[in-house]
Amino acid sequence: MKHAAFSFSSVLRIFPALLLALTVGMAYADDYSDVNALLRQGKADEALAKADAYISGKPRDPQMRFLRGVILTEQGKQTEATAAFTQLTQEFPELPEPYNNLAALYAAQSQFDKARAALEMAIKLSPDYATAHENLGDVYVRLAAQSYGRAQQLESGNATVPPKLALIRQMFSTPTASSLPAATPAARKPVRQ
């Protein structure tokens, strides 16, 4: 499953006043770049410290808070990342990217119903969000695998189920197939540039 990057265009679409603030304070863009660079260099602890320092001065900045959630995900801190993205969905319910990343975390824990609900919300907010559509397809395939597995348990002699399960396994074992979750964020605009 692909994690989303915070789409700068969605911020501008949702927060028109942010354009003025960003024009006045271009130094903030350097903070995002610095955090991204540290993360790209494998210095997640330093990236997190820099993000936290930035957020302490600007606690309502959704983009840096989103980036913080990505860092936590990269560090394997699933509980903290889930809390970060959940909080973003509560405080900024109009942003689709936190729902997508929350879904990726749920999918990694095989909580596919929660992942489906989060992705459906992301798509409701942004119907052209290709990454969320792809991830929702992956979740539906995983849900199908669960249903086929249950059908096989209930009726082991059913000859139509094993080929379906084999096809699903093949889909997720090929190098070109999407898998749940992705190790790096990707979306309309990558976090890491």
Side-chain angles (χ1 to χ4, degrees):
M1 174 169 282
K2 293 182 178 179
H3 292 272
F6 196 84
S7 171
F8 188 69
S9 63
S10 70
V11 172
L12 293 179
R13 184 176 65 243
I14 296 164
F15 302 110
L18 186 59
L19 181 57
L20 178 61
L22 288 175
T23 304
V24 172
M26 290 307 287
Y28 301 133
D30 292 339
D31 289 320
Y32 301 124
S33 297
D34 291 348
V35 172
N36 275 315
L38 288 168
L39 189 56
R40 241 189 346 263
Q41 295 166 7
K43 299 176 181 177
D45 291 336
E46 290 178 48
L48 184 60
K50 187 161 183 77
D52 284 341
Y54 179 93
I55 292 167
S56 70
K58 297 179 183 18
R60 296 278 304 152
D61 184 314
Q63 188 169 355
M64 187 62 79
R65 289 174 53 196
F66 180 88
L67 187 51
R68 182 180 186 277
V70 170
I71 295 166
L72 292 168
T73 302
E74 296 261 333
Q75 290 180 318
K77 298 177 180 176
Q78 306 307 317
T79 303
E80 291 178 58
T82 300
F85 291 125
T86 299
Q87 189 172 17
L88 278 170
T89 64
Q90 292 167 349
E91 293 179 33
F92 303 95
E94 66 280 4
L95 298 176
E97 292 85 359
Y99 287 102
N100 182 76
N101 283 36
L102 192 55
L105 291 167
Y106 288 146
Q109 299 167 22
S110 297
Q111 296 179 17
F112 299 115
D113 286 327
K114 285 183 173 183
R116 179 189 44 76
L119 288 166
E120 287 174 350
M121 180 58 81
I123 291 168
K124 179 180 177 183
L125 293 168
S126 182
D128 64 340
Y129 193 177
T131 299
H133 281 284
E134 179 183 354
N135 288 343
L136 183 59
D138 290 345
V139 166
Y140 281 140
V141 170
R142 297 296 185 167
L143 286 167
Q146 287 179 343
S147 291
Y148 290 142
R150 183 70 178 137
Q152 191 171 35
Q153 287 175 346
L154 295 171
E155 189 180 341
S156 60
N158 185 336
T160 63
V161 173
K164 294 173 186 178
L165 280 171
L167 182 59
I168 290 172
R169 287 186 189 111
Q170 181 183 1
M171 283 176 50
F172 285 104
S173 66
T174 60
T176 58
S178 177
S179 61
L180 301 174
T184 59
R188 296 180 251 177
K189 179 179 176 190
V191 168
R192 296 195 216 170
Q193 297 155 342

